[in-house]
Amino acid sequence: MKRLPLHFDIEAQQGEARTGVLTTRRGLIETPVFMPIGTAGTVKGIRFEELESSELDAKIILGNTYHLWLRPGIDVIRSAGGLHRFIGWDRALLTDSGGFQVWSLGALRKITEDGTEFRSHVDGSLRFLSPEVSMEVQAALGSDIVMVFDECAPGEASHAEAERSMNLTARWAKRSRTAFDQLQKTGADTGQLEVDELSGSQALFGIIQGASHLDLRRNSLEQTINIGFDGYAIGGLSVGEEKSVMFEIIDEIAPRMPKESPRYLMGVGTPEDLVEAVARGIDMFDCVLPTRNGRTGQAFTSTGKLNIKNAQWATDSRPLDELCPCSVCRRHSRAYLRHLYMSGEMLASILLTHHNLAFFLDTMRGVRQSIRSGDFPTFRREFTGRLGANGE
Ligand SMILES: [Zn+2]
């Protein structure tokens, strides 16, 4: 039997929501899973020991192809033996393709059939990213899951504009697949591992685009499935469209995605978005919110968002979240965290980031347990019900 880069086994399902185990060459990942973002080879504000601790136990993190390619560059990472060794992280890594970051540069980029030309935000040099270059960079990084190089249309893109972009993404997906397969044969993947039952190679995920047009999304899904990937992602959401539009697309697309493959919703979202997307059949998530908002003084709690800057917390001896078992909530008060934040102490960002990640990862643990025990609808109702309590 042909060995594959991944195995995905669904253990329980309730409605569209499912829980299972994704077996990668760097360990087992229980799904649904939240993946913290490690843009430049670091999950900002937290050490890997803490991410690995039983309290957080993040099984997989993200790396950004665009950022790592520009700095420190793939020669540095190749000479270290790949991204895992370079950063000191032995668990699974997923890298995005750089498509979204380049798209975010807006006017600074030029898109052609070949790829995207843009100016580096690091040194202003002119750079060119294409499906082939992205696959080469991701092979040098040696991530365990590679994303195809795609183009993202803005949420409010017209049908014609979104269609052009979606078809370009499909052609780029085909080129990504070809370049990726070639690179696996030539041993370019620095993360190759001998593993029982698996091929030990990188896995490649396809991305469904089409902005907010359902017919284009369905067309994109079909073209992506026809090429064939180890997993499938929905991209181009959370880019300015209404929330209702986002859920309409997930409702339409997720149940049509291959059932036996992991389904990844890229760049989404808040804790309630995660739970709602799980209810629609999504297995994997990534988002900057817990880390980025942690640095700007915002905590995610079981009763909603909490802004630590608010004067009302100045003498509040309660933890950030009274239901949270994390080490920050066990030890520190809102008053102390507010004091740290107002004094510009770096520990404020570190502690808020820790709590936020604990909250996201715990939420997913609760989601998995509830699907296994057949209580997901109750979990979803109670979780969403509590969130409004802060009134923020
Ligand atoms: Zn906490």
Side-chain angles (χ1 to χ4, degrees):
M1 210 176 100
K2 190 175 170 246
R3 291 188 174 196
L4 301 170
L6 294 177
H7 278 176
F8 184 51
D9 301 298
I10 296 171
E11 293 182 332
Q13 184 150 0
Q14 224 185 347
E16 289 297 329
R18 56 222 210 132
T19 181
V21 177
L22 179 63
T23 307
T24 75
R25 63 185 184 181
R26 281 188 173 74
L28 306 183
I29 300 166
E30 287 184 72
T31 65
V33 61
F34 178 77
M35 308 182 282
I37 296 194
T39 306
T42 150
V43 178
K44 288 192 204 308
I46 191 156
R47 293 179 53 163
F48 290 146
E49 285 86 345
E50 297 195 49
L51 287 170
E52 290 163 356
S53 70
S54 57
E55 184 177 319
L56 298 182
D57 204 17
K59 301 288 194 195
I60 176 170
I61 61 172
L62 253 72
N64 273 116
T65 290
Y66 167 86
H67 288 280
L68 293 164
W69 178 47
L70 295 184
R71 186 170 55 195
I74 55 174
D75 290 343
V76 171
I77 293 172
R78 256 199 212 113
S79 75
L83 187 58
H84 290 92
R85 289 203 187 123
F86 180 60
I87 68 175
W89 174 261
D90 288 331
R91 294 187 176 188
L93 274 171
L94 180 150
T95 44
D96 67 357
S97 66
F100 183 77
Q101 270 74 31
V102 173
W103 174 76
S104 314
L105 294 172
L108 295 172
R109 58 168 161 69
K110 196 177 115 205
I111 298 172
T112 63
E113 183 66 35
D114 272 357
T116 309
E117 195 176 65
F118 65 96
R119 286 212 177 269
S120 157
H121 76 281
V122 175
D123 60 8
S125 63
L126 203 57
R127 308 291 291 247
F128 178 73
L129 198 53
S130 66
E132 291 76 18
V133 175
S134 174
M135 293 306 110
E136 193 193 334
V137 174
Q138 293 184 77
L141 295 174
S143 53
D144 307 296
I145 301 177
V146 169
M147 301 303 297
V148 298
F149 187 67
D150 62 333
E151 210 233 332
C152 179
E156 70 279 7
S158 69
H159 193 278
E161 192 190 342
E163 186 169 25
R164 182 207 55 74
S165 168
M166 182 274 290
N167 282 319
L168 181 63
T169 286
R171 293 193 295 276
W172 283 0
K174 215 172 269 176
R175 280 168 53 191
S176 294
R177 175 87 256 180
T178 306
F180 174 89
D181 290 341
Q182 195 53 37
L183 286 159
Q184 299 305 306
K185 278 185 212 143
T186 56
D189 163 24
T190 61
Q192 176 78 28
L193 263 191
E194 292 287 325
V195 197
D196 285 348
E197 315 271 314
L198 297 178
S199 67
S201 315
Q202 294 182 293
L204 181 64
F205 279 24
I207 305 178
I208 297 149
Q209 291 286 357
S212 38
H213 306 281
L214 292 181
D215 61 320
L216 298 181
R217 287 277 175 184
R218 283 193 300 268
N219 184 330
S220 178
L221 172 67
E222 199 186 314
Q223 296 197 57
T224 312
I225 293 173
N226 284 343
I227 299 168
F229 293 98
D230 302 303
Y232 296 87
I234 304 181
L237 289 182
S238 225
V239 291
E241 79 284 358
E242 293 286 329
K243 270 238 157 115
S244 58
V245 173
M246 175 173 96
F247 285 118
E248 194 188 354
I249 293 164
I250 303 171
D251 268 331
E252 177 79 8
I253 296 304
R256 292 181 159 85
M257 293 165 84
K259 291 207 176 339
E260 67 285 2
S261 304
R263 301 163 172 170
Y264 167 26
L265 178 60
M266 301 179 81
V268 177
T270 62
E272 58 267 43
D273 291 341
L274 267 52
V275 172
E276 288 306 306
V278 166
R280 290 160 171 83
I282 301 292
D283 309 304
M284 302 168 72
F285 301 91
D286 75 282
C287 190
V288 292
L289 282 177
T291 40
R292 181 188 287 163
N293 291 20
R295 299 194 299 280
T296 57
Q298 191 178 59
F300 290 90
T301 78
S302 56
T303 52
K305 290 178 196 142
L306 184 154
N307 191 334
I308 204 64
K309 286 168 275 197
N310 288 353
Q312 73 185 106
W313 314 127
T315 59
D316 196 317
S317 60
R318 289 176 298 169
L320 281 175
D321 184 345
E322 285 169 296
L323 294 180
C324 178
C326 90
S327 52
V328 177
C329 290
R330 285 201 311 272
R331 184 180 284 242
H332 301 300
S333 66
R334 294 179 191 180
Y336 175 61
L337 292 167
R338 178 173 188 274
H339 155 72
L340 292 178
Y341 190 87
M342 300 312 279
S343 313
E345 289 290 339
M346 69 164 105
L347 190 59
S349 298
I350 293 170
L351 295 178
L352 285 168
T353 297
H354 185 107
H355 160 79
N356 282 348
L357 284 172
F359 182 69
F360 273 64
L361 292 160
D362 262 352
T363 298
M364 299 316 271
R365 254 187 290 277
V367 162
R368 294 193 295 265
Q369 258 161 27
S370 71
I371 300 171
R372 267 196 291 267
S373 61
D375 298 324
F376 180 66
T378 311
F379 176 94
R380 179 185 179 189
R381 195 174 53 245
E382 289 178 357
F383 183 83
T384 313
R386 272 195 305 269
L387 280 176
N390 280 9
E392 273 190 51

mmCIF file of all heavy atoms in Angstrom, residues 39 66-68 70-71 101 105 108 118-125 127:
data_model
loop_
_atom_site.group_PDB
_atom_site.id
_atom_site.type_symbol
_atom_site.label_atom_id
_atom_site.label_comp_id
_atom_site.label_asym_id
_atom_site.label_seq_id
_atom_site.Cartn_x
_atom_site.Cartn_y
_atom_site.Cartn_z
ATOM 1 N N THR A 39 4.750 33.466 13.283
ATOM 2 C CA THR A 39 5.086 34.192 12.057
ATOM 3 C C THR A 39 6.547 34.061 11.633
ATOM 4 O O THR A 39 6.872 33.571 10.576
ATOM 5 C CB THR A 39 4.771 35.695 12.247
ATOM 6 O OG1 THR A 39 3.422 35.784 12.656
ATOM 7 C CG2 THR A 39 4.987 36.484 10.981
ATOM 8 N N TYR A 66 6.435 33.812 3.786
ATOM 9 C CA TYR A 66 6.835 35.154 3.346
ATOM 10 C C TYR A 66 7.868 35.762 4.283
ATOM 11 O O TYR A 66 8.937 36.200 3.866
ATOM 12 C CB TYR A 66 5.576 36.035 3.269
ATOM 13 C CG TYR A 66 5.844 37.518 3.122
ATOM 14 C CD1 TYR A 66 6.049 38.081 1.866
ATOM 15 C CD2 TYR A 66 5.882 38.355 4.233
ATOM 16 C CE1 TYR A 66 6.293 39.428 1.725
ATOM 17 C CE2 TYR A 66 6.117 39.706 4.098
ATOM 18 C CZ TYR A 66 6.325 40.243 2.847
ATOM 19 O OH TYR A 66 6.568 41.586 2.724
ATOM 20 N N HIS A 67 7.559 35.766 5.579
ATOM 21 C CA HIS A 67 8.454 36.404 6.551
ATOM 22 C C HIS A 67 9.788 35.677 6.651
ATOM 23 O O HIS A 67 10.841 36.309 6.677
ATOM 24 C CB HIS A 67 7.778 36.469 7.928
ATOM 25 C CG HIS A 67 6.673 37.474 7.976
ATOM 26 N ND1 HIS A 67 6.906 38.827 8.131
ATOM 27 C CD2 HIS A 67 5.336 37.339 7.864
ATOM 28 C CE1 HIS A 67 5.759 39.468 8.114
ATOM 29 N NE2 HIS A 67 4.784 38.602 7.953
ATOM 30 N N LEU A 68 9.749 34.346 6.697
ATOM 31 C CA LEU A 68 10.990 33.587 6.880
ATOM 32 C C LEU A 68 11.862 33.609 5.627
ATOM 33 O O LEU A 68 13.085 33.568 5.709
ATOM 34 C CB LEU A 68 10.655 32.139 7.272
ATOM 35 C CG LEU A 68 9.996 32.019 8.648
ATOM 36 C CD1 LEU A 68 9.331 30.658 8.809
ATOM 37 C CD2 LEU A 68 11.012 32.250 9.762
ATOM 38 N N LEU A 70 12.067 36.206 3.540
ATOM 39 C CA LEU A 70 12.729 37.512 3.496
ATOM 40 C C LEU A 70 13.774 37.644 4.604
ATOM 41 O O LEU A 70 14.790 38.292 4.440
ATOM 42 C CB LEU A 70 11.700 38.646 3.627
ATOM 43 C CG LEU A 70 10.686 38.775 2.480
ATOM 44 C CD1 LEU A 70 9.802 39.994 2.706
ATOM 45 C CD2 LEU A 70 11.385 38.887 1.132
ATOM 46 N N ARG A 71 13.481 37.047 5.743
ATOM 47 C CA ARG A 71 14.396 37.154 6.883
ATOM 48 C C ARG A 71 14.171 36.007 7.836
ATOM 49 O O ARG A 71 13.051 35.884 8.316
ATOM 50 C CB ARG A 71 14.157 38.509 7.604
ATOM 51 C CG ARG A 71 15.148 38.799 8.719
ATOM 52 C CD ARG A 71 15.023 40.217 9.224
ATOM 53 N NE ARG A 71 13.661 40.536 9.640
ATOM 54 C CZ ARG A 71 13.198 41.771 9.858
ATOM 55 N NH1 ARG A 71 13.966 42.808 9.688
ATOM 56 N NH2 ARG A 71 11.962 41.967 10.235
ATOM 57 N N GLN A 101 0.181 37.049 2.627
ATOM 58 C CA GLN A 101 1.013 38.189 3.046
ATOM 59 C C GLN A 101 1.283 39.119 1.868
ATOM 60 O O GLN A 101 1.229 40.327 1.992
ATOM 61 C CB GLN A 101 2.354 37.712 3.619
ATOM 62 C CG GLN A 101 2.324 37.458 5.109
ATOM 63 C CD GLN A 101 1.591 36.181 5.433
ATOM 64 O OE1 GLN A 101 1.605 35.255 4.637
ATOM 65 N NE2 GLN A 101 0.947 36.133 6.570
ATOM 66 N N LEU A 105 -0.024 43.267 0.971
ATOM 67 C CA LEU A 105 0.819 44.429 0.672
ATOM 68 C C LEU A 105 0.075 45.446 -0.191
ATOM 69 O O LEU A 105 0.526 46.571 -0.350
ATOM 70 C CB LEU A 105 2.088 43.991 -0.065
ATOM 71 C CG LEU A 105 3.077 43.126 0.730
ATOM 72 C CD1 LEU A 105 4.172 42.612 -0.187
ATOM 73 C CD2 LEU A 105 3.677 43.909 1.884
ATOM 74 N N LEU A 108 1.638 47.643 -3.225
ATOM 75 C CA LEU A 108 3.076 47.385 -3.356
ATOM 76 C C LEU A 108 3.381 46.144 -4.202
ATOM 77 O O LEU A 108 4.524 45.793 -4.403
ATOM 78 C CB LEU A 108 3.701 47.201 -1.966
ATOM 79 C CG LEU A 108 3.666 48.424 -1.061
ATOM 80 C CD1 LEU A 108 4.133 48.052 0.334
ATOM 81 C CD2 LEU A 108 4.537 49.532 -1.636
ATOM 82 N N PHE A 118 6.846 42.017 -5.803
ATOM 83 C CA PHE A 118 6.575 42.978 -4.729
ATOM 84 C C PHE A 118 7.882 43.467 -4.135
ATOM 85 O O PHE A 118 8.948 42.916 -4.411
ATOM 86 C CB PHE A 118 5.722 42.310 -3.640
ATOM 87 C CG PHE A 118 6.434 41.183 -2.936
ATOM 88 C CD1 PHE A 118 7.082 41.397 -1.733
ATOM 89 C CD2 PHE A 118 6.482 39.917 -3.496
ATOM 90 C CE1 PHE A 118 7.754 40.360 -1.099
ATOM 91 C CE2 PHE A 118 7.149 38.886 -2.866
ATOM 92 C CZ PHE A 118 7.795 39.107 -1.664
ATOM 93 N N ARG A 119 7.759 44.527 -3.316
ATOM 94 C CA ARG A 119 8.942 45.044 -2.628
ATOM 95 C C ARG A 119 8.981 44.499 -1.210
ATOM 96 O O ARG A 119 7.992 44.533 -0.497
ATOM 97 C CB ARG A 119 8.930 46.569 -2.606
ATOM 98 C CG ARG A 119 9.254 47.146 -3.942
ATOM 99 C CD ARG A 119 9.992 48.479 -3.881
ATOM 100 N NE ARG A 119 10.300 48.877 -5.254
ATOM 101 C CZ ARG A 119 11.431 48.546 -5.877
ATOM 102 N NH1 ARG A 119 12.386 47.878 -5.249
ATOM 103 N NH2 ARG A 119 11.621 48.908 -7.127
ATOM 104 N N SER A 120 10.136 44.014 -0.812
ATOM 105 C CA SER A 120 10.315 43.475 0.527
ATOM 106 C C SER A 120 10.088 44.561 1.566
ATOM 107 O O SER A 120 10.601 45.669 1.433
ATOM 108 C CB SER A 120 11.742 42.934 0.655
ATOM 109 O OG SER A 120 12.124 42.902 2.013
ATOM 110 N N HIS A 121 9.323 44.241 2.618
ATOM 111 C CA HIS A 121 9.115 45.234 3.676
ATOM 112 C C HIS A 121 10.367 45.323 4.555
ATOM 113 O O HIS A 121 10.500 46.221 5.369
ATOM 114 C CB HIS A 121 7.886 44.877 4.519
ATOM 115 C CG HIS A 121 8.133 43.752 5.484
ATOM 116 N ND1 HIS A 121 8.133 42.434 5.105
ATOM 117 C CD2 HIS A 121 8.425 43.747 6.802
ATOM 118 C CE1 HIS A 121 8.409 41.664 6.145
ATOM 119 N NE2 HIS A 121 8.593 42.443 7.197
ATOM 120 N N VAL A 122 11.323 44.388 4.369
ATOM 121 C CA VAL A 122 12.521 44.387 5.203
ATOM 122 C C VAL A 122 13.570 45.346 4.646
ATOM 123 O O VAL A 122 14.076 46.213 5.364
ATOM 124 C CB VAL A 122 13.114 42.956 5.318
ATOM 125 C CG1 VAL A 122 14.420 42.968 6.088
ATOM 126 C CG2 VAL A 122 12.116 42.024 5.980
ATOM 127 N N ASP A 123 13.872 45.212 3.335
ATOM 128 C CA ASP A 123 14.950 46.046 2.790
ATOM 129 C C ASP A 123 14.580 46.753 1.495
ATOM 130 O O ASP A 123 15.438 47.360 0.851
ATOM 131 C CB ASP A 123 16.213 45.198 2.586
ATOM 132 C CG ASP A 123 15.961 44.040 1.618
ATOM 133 O OD1 ASP A 123 14.870 44.002 1.006
ATOM 134 O OD2 ASP A 123 16.844 43.186 1.477
ATOM 135 N N GLY A 124 13.300 46.677 1.089
ATOM 136 C CA GLY A 124 12.861 47.403 -0.101
ATOM 137 C C GLY A 124 13.255 46.744 -1.417
ATOM 138 O O GLY A 124 12.936 47.265 -2.488
ATOM 139 N N SER A 125 13.946 45.594 -1.362
ATOM 140 C CA SER A 125 14.376 44.944 -2.605
ATOM 141 C C SER A 125 13.171 44.373 -3.346
ATOM 142 O O SER A 125 12.146 44.059 -2.752
ATOM 143 C CB SER A 125 15.375 43.822 -2.295
ATOM 144 O OG SER A 125 14.737 42.822 -1.512
ATOM 145 N N ARG A 127 11.180 41.554 -5.108
ATOM 146 C CA ARG A 127 11.168 40.097 -4.965
ATOM 147 C C ARG A 127 10.058 39.511 -5.817
ATOM 148 O O ARG A 127 9.108 40.210 -6.169
ATOM 149 C CB ARG A 127 10.933 39.707 -3.491
ATOM 150 C CG ARG A 127 11.845 40.370 -2.509
ATOM 151 C CD ARG A 127 13.271 39.880 -2.649
ATOM 152 N NE ARG A 127 13.419 38.498 -2.238
ATOM 153 C CZ ARG A 127 14.116 38.116 -1.167
ATOM 154 N NH1 ARG A 127 14.716 39.003 -0.399
ATOM 155 N NH2 ARG A 127 14.230 36.836 -0.873
#
